[in-house]
């Protein structure tokens, strides 16, 4: 019997079967679409290309608000220009009543329309019309002066008009109906910048009153900038405060500089103090840290300038800078006494630092003269001791005026650096600065006090010793600073001592001993040991000049420095001082060679001694390459001696090089049989064969060709005997060239006796013979190349 499910179950089964069929149909349709696309890609691409591209809508280049603003501003400007032209040109064609009615009606309408526009939501249009109305009020003021007040003072009327306009514009901007406008209040503030200044100018006031008017205006702007919350008004107030305040400070500063008495200086100082108070108040109440820092710095500097301007008129000229420095240092006393915001505190610190920096800048010419002035003795060596220490430095430059108080400035700044600066990150820099300032102070005292010439040099010597001692006992950072100061002082002392022969010898001896004694400390040897050698070389040169030796003979004394450097360098192995010591020794050797250039015999001797010193240095395992320099020095010494003997034979110069070179090459070949003959014997053989070949071609005699040919033949035979490539090639080439030189006259004679057609015919026969045996010749060449290649 067939089983029939219930109707509900049968319906469920049918739905499931239909869903599976639909799913299978969807898969088959997708597969068919892919196959169609794969079989007909060209048709689809053509159809896609035939379809026109969709046209993108045009994109606006300017936003609607920008267009609106441009149109409104342009319309307001045009209306304002039209009103100005009407007022200035067409005014005279109407009576007084017509003029008043026209301008009054237009102005009132222009001022009333913005309220209506604001109620309708047209704020931008209202701003443009309001600007037109404000401009018309200016024209009304001008028209009033021309029509009814033409006889009044123009500057005074402008002051009153700007004050009235500022009040009217401010009131207009504060009315409830027009309070939403942003233009009236900034314009009113801009107009308020002129009443006080114009009033003082109309009253014929002095520059003090003009400066006060500018500073009072700046103060009012500052109050507005600090009190008014509106951004546009605050921005306008800040611009006005900086502008009016800047001009006021310039006027007050000029009055302070040109003041010729305490009264005038006090009045100018009061203006500067007013500006300082305004800046400090703005910094204290301001919210921006950057503006507060800058305003506080300006306030501190203005305070110092104000009080210093008064002090300048009551103290001697040399104490003006120290007085300003004292005021700048006094700014630091405010910091612990009053609770200040951080920005204000930092501003006073920077203001004090700026004053101290300017004071140090004032001392710079005096310090520069102390360091560079003694260089003038280089052109007047041993011309006579000066009268005092000041004359020792003012050789070619005058003594700066008001330089007596320069040490005071340096000491004060050094004390501030040492006592006031407590920040840990600044302590190391403070030590460097304080040490340098104390050194500059001690450097200035002998010339400031005009002590005796020997006493001034004694002070410089003590300073050098103290700096060297400090460099041995302090930390690494201060040590390097102390060593640099010691070197600078030593150079200055050496230049000062050039005025006297005795002083030069004594100073150089003491400095040599001083730096040599300081070299016992390993951490300062890289500086002190080279310095000792430099002073020793200078002492040797000065000693030779003192005993009237010529420069060439003095070079023998200078050679003691390279000897000392060569003996000292091995003791400094693995030290940073090794290279500086050897460099100074090499420089001293070059100095000795330069001193003997005019005396060839002594030059040869000095070169030979330098070669001995260099050869001794090359005995150290880490300085083997220096042996090449020693060889070169020995060769140069031999050549200079031969030139001094007026020897013109080139072999006399080349054979002393060739023989040692061949011996060295033979030793190398014995130690390393695989060494190339070109490396071992090539340089030595070329040193003699090449110059001799050049001499043979210019020598009409037969002796040199015979000897050179014999030597070349021996070299060739030795190369063939021992199968060495370099002797075989060089000797054979030299022998061939010598033979060609000797047979050349006969070849020329035979060539002249032959008919003109004979050489081309012989050349043709030769080419035919070579062509006929080309393969055999190639084989022979390869065989010769293989034989040479097997040679070492």
């Amino acid at each position: 019997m067939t089983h029939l499910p219930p109707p509900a179950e049968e319906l469920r089964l049918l739905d499931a079967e239909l869903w599976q069929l639909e799913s299978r149909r969807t898969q088959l349709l997708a597969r068919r679409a892919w196959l169609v696309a794969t079989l007909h890609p060209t048709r689809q691409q053509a159809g896609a290309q035939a379809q026109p591209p969709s046209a993108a809508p045009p994109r606006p280049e300017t936003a609607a608000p920008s267009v609106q603003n441009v149109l409104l501003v342009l319309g307001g400007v045009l209306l304002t220009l039209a009103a100005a032209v009407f007022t200035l040109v067409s005014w005279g064609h109407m009576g007084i009543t017509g003029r008043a009615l026209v301008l009054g009606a237009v102005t009132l309408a222009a001022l009333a329309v913005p309220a209506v526009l604001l109620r309708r939501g047209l704020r931008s249009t209202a701003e443009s019309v309001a600007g037109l109305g404000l401009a018309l009020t200016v024209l009304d003021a001008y028209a009033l002066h021309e029509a009814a007040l033409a006889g009044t003072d123009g500057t005074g009327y402008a002051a009153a008009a700007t004050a009235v306009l500022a009040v009217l514009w401010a009131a207009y901007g504060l009315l409830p109906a027009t309070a939403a406008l942003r233009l009236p209040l900034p314009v009113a503030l801009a107009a308020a910048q002129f009443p006080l200044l114009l009033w003082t100018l109309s009253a014929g006031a002095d520059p003090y009153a003009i400066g006060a008017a500018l500073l009072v205006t700046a103060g009012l702007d500052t109050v507005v900038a600090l009190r008014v919350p509106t951004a546009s008004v605050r921005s306008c107030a800040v611009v006005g405060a900086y502008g009016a305040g800047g001009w006021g400070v310039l006027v007050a500063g000029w009055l302070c500089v040109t003041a010729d008495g305490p009264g005038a200086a006090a009045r100018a100082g009061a203006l500067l103090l007013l500006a300082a108070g305004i800046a400090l108040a703005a910094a204290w109440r301001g919210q921006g840290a950057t503006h507060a820092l800058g305003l506080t710095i300006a306030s501190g500097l203005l305070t110092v300038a104000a009080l210093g301007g008064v002090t300048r008129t009551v103290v001697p000229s040399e104490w003006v800078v120290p007085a300003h420095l004292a005021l700048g240092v006094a700014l630091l006393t405010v910091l612990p006494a009053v609770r200040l915001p951080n920005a204000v505190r930092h501003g006073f610190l920077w203001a004090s630092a700026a004053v101290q920096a300017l004071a140090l800048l004032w001392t710079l010419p005096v310090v520069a003269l102390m360091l560079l002035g003694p260089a003038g003795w280089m052109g007047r060596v041993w011309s006579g001791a000066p009268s005092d220490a000041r004359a020792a430095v003012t050789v070619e430059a005058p003594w700066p005026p008001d330089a007596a108080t320069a040490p005071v400035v340096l000491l004060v700044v050094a004390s501030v650096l040492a006592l006031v600066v407590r920040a840990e990150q600044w302590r190391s820099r403070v030590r460097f600065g304080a040490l340098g300032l104390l050194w500059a102070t001690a450097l200035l005292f002998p010339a400031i006090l005009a002590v005796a010439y020997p006493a001034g040099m004694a002070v410089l010597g003590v300073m050098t010793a103290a700096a060297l001692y400090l460099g041995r006992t302090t930390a690494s950072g201060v040590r390097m600073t102390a060593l640099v100061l010691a070197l600078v002082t030593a150079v200055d002392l050496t230049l000062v001592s050039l005025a006297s022969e005795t002083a030069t010898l004594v100073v150089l001896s003491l400095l040599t001993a001083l730096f040599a004694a300081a070299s016992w400390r390993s951490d300062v040897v890289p500086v002190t040991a080279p310095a000792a050698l430099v002073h020793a070389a200078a002492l040797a040169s000065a000693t030779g000049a003192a005993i009237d030796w010529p420069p060439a003979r003095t070079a023998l004394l200078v050679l003691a420095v390279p000897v000392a450097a060569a003996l000292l360098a091995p003791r400094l192995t693995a030290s940073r001082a090794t290279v500086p010591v050897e460099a100074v020794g090499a420089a001293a050797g070059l100095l000795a060679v330069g001193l003997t250039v005019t005396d060839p015999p002594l030059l040869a001797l000095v070169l030979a001694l330098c070669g001995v010193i260099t050869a001794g240095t090359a005995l150290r395992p880490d300085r083997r390459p220096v042996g090449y320099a020693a060889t070169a020095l020995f060769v140069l010494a031999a050549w200079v001696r031969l030139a001094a003997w007026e020897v013109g034979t080139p072999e006399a110069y080349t054979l002393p090089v060739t023989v040692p070179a061949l011996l060295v090459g033979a030793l190398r070949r014995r130690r390393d049989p695989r060494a190339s003959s070109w490396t071992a014997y090539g340089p030595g053989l070329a040193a003699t064969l090449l110059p001799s070949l050049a001499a043979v071609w210019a020598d009409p005699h037969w002796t040199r060709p015979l000897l050179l040919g014999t030597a070349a033949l021996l070299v060739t035979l030795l190369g063939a005997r021992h199968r060495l490539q370099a002797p075989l090639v060089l000797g054979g080439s030299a022998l061939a060239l010598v033979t060609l030189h000797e047979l050349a006259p006969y070849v020329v004679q035979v060539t002249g006796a032959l008919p003109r057609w004979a050489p081309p015919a012989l050349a043709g026969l030769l080419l035919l013979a070579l062509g006929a045996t080309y393969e055999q010749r190639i084989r022979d060449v390869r065989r010769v190349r293989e034989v040479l290649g097997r040679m070492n």
Side-chain angles (χ1 to χ4, degrees):
M1 294 179 63
T2 304
H3 174 69
L4 296 175
E9 181 66 19
E10 185 177 2
L11 179 62
R12 186 185 65 80
L13 293 175
L14 290 176
D15 289 340
E17 189 71 22
L18 290 174
W19 181 85
Q20 292 179 359
L21 291 173
E22 188 65 26
S23 176
R24 181 59 178 170
R25 182 176 181 275
T26 302
Q27 294 178 359
L28 293 175
L29 289 175
R31 181 64 178 174
R32 181 181 182 281
W34 180 81
L35 292 173
V36 170
T38 304
L39 293 175
H40 305 284
T42 308
R43 182 182 304 174
Q44 292 182 0
Q45 292 179 0
Q49 293 178 359
Q51 295 179 358
S54 59
R59 183 180 180 181
E61 297 181 354
T62 306
S66 301
V67 176
Q68 167 193 302
N69 293 334
V70 171
L71 294 177
L72 291 176
V73 171
L74 184 58
V77 171
L78 293 178
L79 288 175
T80 303
L81 292 176
V85 172
F86 170 76
T87 304
L88 298 176
V89 178
S90 302
W91 186 255
H93 301 289
M94 301 178 65
I96 185 63
T97 304
R99 289 178 259 174
L101 289 175
V102 171
L103 273 180
V106 173
T107 303
L108 291 176
L111 295 176
V113 167
V116 179
L117 295 174
L118 287 174
R119 285 197 299 269
R120 295 180 177 273
L122 303 176
R123 182 169 181 175
S124 298
T125 307
E127 293 283 357
S128 299
V129 177
L132 174 62
L134 298 178
L136 289 175
T137 56
V138 178
L139 295 177
D140 290 338
Y142 170 75
L144 179 61
H145 178 267
E146 292 296 322
L149 302 174
T152 60
D153 178 53
T155 306
Y157 179 79
T162 52
V164 172
L165 289 175
V167 173
L168 291 177
W169 291 347
Y172 180 73
L174 295 175
L175 290 175
T178 57
L181 295 174
R182 291 177 294 181
L183 185 61
L185 291 180
V187 173
L189 186 59
Q193 306 299 312
F194 301 101
L196 287 178
L197 178 60
L198 294 176
W199 177 72
T200 54
L201 292 176
S202 65
D206 57 4
Y208 295 94
I210 296 174
L214 290 170
L215 292 175
V216 169
T217 303
L220 296 175
D221 290 331
T222 303
V223 172
V224 173
L226 295 176
R227 294 290 184 179
V228 177
T230 306
S232 59
V233 178
R234 289 182 59 188
S235 300
C236 186
V238 169
V239 173
Y242 278 112
W247 284 107
V249 168
L250 289 178
V251 172
W254 178 75
L255 293 174
C256 185
V257 171
T258 58
D260 55 357
R267 295 172 65 187
L271 294 178
L272 291 176
L273 288 177
L274 175 60
I278 294 171
L280 182 60
W284 199 300
R285 298 297 299 274
Q287 298 179 358
T290 304
H291 286 282
L293 179 63
L295 290 172
T296 306
I297 294 175
S299 176
L301 294 177
L302 290 174
T303 303
V304 172
L307 300 178
V310 178
T311 307
R312 180 181 61 84
T313 60
V314 296
V315 299
S317 59
E318 62 267 16
W319 288 98
V320 172
V321 174
H324 283 78
L325 177 61
L327 294 172
V329 175
L331 291 176
L332 300 176
T333 61
V334 180
L335 303 180
V338 184
R339 296 185 61 183
L340 301 173
N342 288 333
V344 176
R345 181 182 300 274
H346 293 160
F348 278 126
L349 284 173
W350 282 107
S352 177
V355 174
Q356 296 178 57
L358 291 174
L360 290 179
L361 187 62
W362 174 76
T363 65
L364 187 59
V366 188
V367 178
L369 179 63
M370 294 297 301
L371 294 176
L372 304 178
W377 291 110
M378 298 179 67
R380 307 178 184 182
V381 178
W382 297 352
S383 59
S387 58
D388 52 34
R390 183 179 299 180
V393 298
T394 55
V395 183
E396 297 179 353
W399 182 251
D402 303 333
T405 55
V408 177
V409 172
L410 296 172
L411 282 177
V412 170
V413 177
S415 302
V416 171
L417 290 177
L419 301 177
V420 176
V421 180
R422 300 292 184 181
E424 191 64 29
Q425 65 269 21
W426 292 93
R427 292 301 298 170
S428 59
R429 302 177 186 179
V430 165
R431 294 192 188 99
F432 301 155
L435 180 61
L437 293 176
L438 291 176
W439 170 80
T441 304
L443 186 68
L444 292 180
F445 266 121
I448 295 292
L449 301 178
V451 300
Y453 175 64
M457 289 193 299
V459 171
L460 293 176
V462 171
M463 289 176 59
T464 304
L468 286 175
Y469 179 77
L470 186 62
R472 295 181 59 186
T473 58
T474 55
S476 59
V478 179
R479 178 189 303 125
M480 185 54 62
T481 303
L483 292 176
V484 171
L485 294 180
L487 293 177
V488 174
T489 311
V491 172
D492 192 51
L493 176 58
T494 302
L495 293 175
V496 170
S497 68
L498 293 178
S500 171
E501 176 182 337
T502 303
T504 302
L505 296 176
V506 172
V507 166
L508 290 176
S509 301
L510 291 178
L511 289 177
T512 303
L514 188 62
F515 281 100
S519 300
W520 291 106
R521 178 75 176 261
S522 60
D523 49 0
V524 298
V525 172
V527 177
T528 56
L533 294 176
V534 169
H535 288 92
L539 176 62
S541 301
T543 302
I547 59 180
D548 293 330
W549 278 10
R553 188 177 297 179
T554 304
L556 299 176
L557 296 177
V558 177
L559 282 179
V561 176
V563 173
L567 295 176
L568 180 62
R571 301 178 180 271
L572 302 175
T573 305
S575 173
R576 293 180 301 169
T578 304
V579 175
V581 167
E582 292 176 342
V584 173
L590 290 177
L591 174 62
V593 172
L595 291 175
T596 56
V597 170
T598 58
D599 192 342
L602 278 178
L603 176 59
L605 177 60
V606 169
L607 287 172
L609 294 177
C610 290
V612 172
I613 299 171
T614 308
T617 303
L619 295 177
R620 293 162 48 194
D622 57 337
R623 292 292 184 267
R624 296 298 188 195
V626 181
Y628 296 106
T631 303
L633 289 172
F634 284 129
V635 171
L636 287 176
W639 287 357
V640 171
R641 172 53 63 182
L642 291 174
W645 285 337
E646 298 182 355
V647 175
T649 304
E651 288 76 13
Y653 296 87
T654 57
L655 286 177
V657 178
T658 296
V659 174
L662 293 177
L663 292 176
V664 172
L667 292 175
R668 181 173 181 180
R669 289 273 301 173
R670 179 174 295 180
R671 293 181 180 180
D672 184 11
R674 293 178 298 177
S676 172
S677 62
W678 288 103
T679 304
Y681 303 117
L685 294 175
T688 294
L689 292 178
L690 296 180
S692 297
L693 278 174
V696 161
W697 287 93
D699 191 353
H701 304 287
W702 59 271
T703 307
R704 179 177 280 111
L706 178 61
L707 295 177
L708 180 59
T710 304
L713 178 60
L714 292 177
V715 170
T716 304
L717 294 176
L718 288 174
R721 171 69 179 80
H722 297 283
R723 302 178 66 186
L724 298 176
Q725 192 177 88
L728 182 61
V729 174
L730 292 177
S733 301
L735 181 60
L737 291 175
V738 171
T739 303
L740 178 62
H741 173 267
E742 293 301 311
L743 297 179
Y746 301 101
V747 173
V748 172
Q749 183 178 1
V750 171
T751 304
L754 291 176
R756 292 184 179 269
W757 53 266
L762 293 176
L765 292 175
L766 178 62
L767 291 175
L768 288 175
L770 289 176
T773 58
Y774 183 77
E775 185 176 1
Q776 183 64 33
R777 296 291 180 268
I778 293 296
R779 188 180 299 112
D780 295 341
V781 169
R782 290 176 179 174
R783 190 173 299 165
V784 172
R785 185 176 63 184
E786 291 175 358
V787 172
L788 292 176
R790 287 194 296 270
M791 293 182 180
N792 195 349

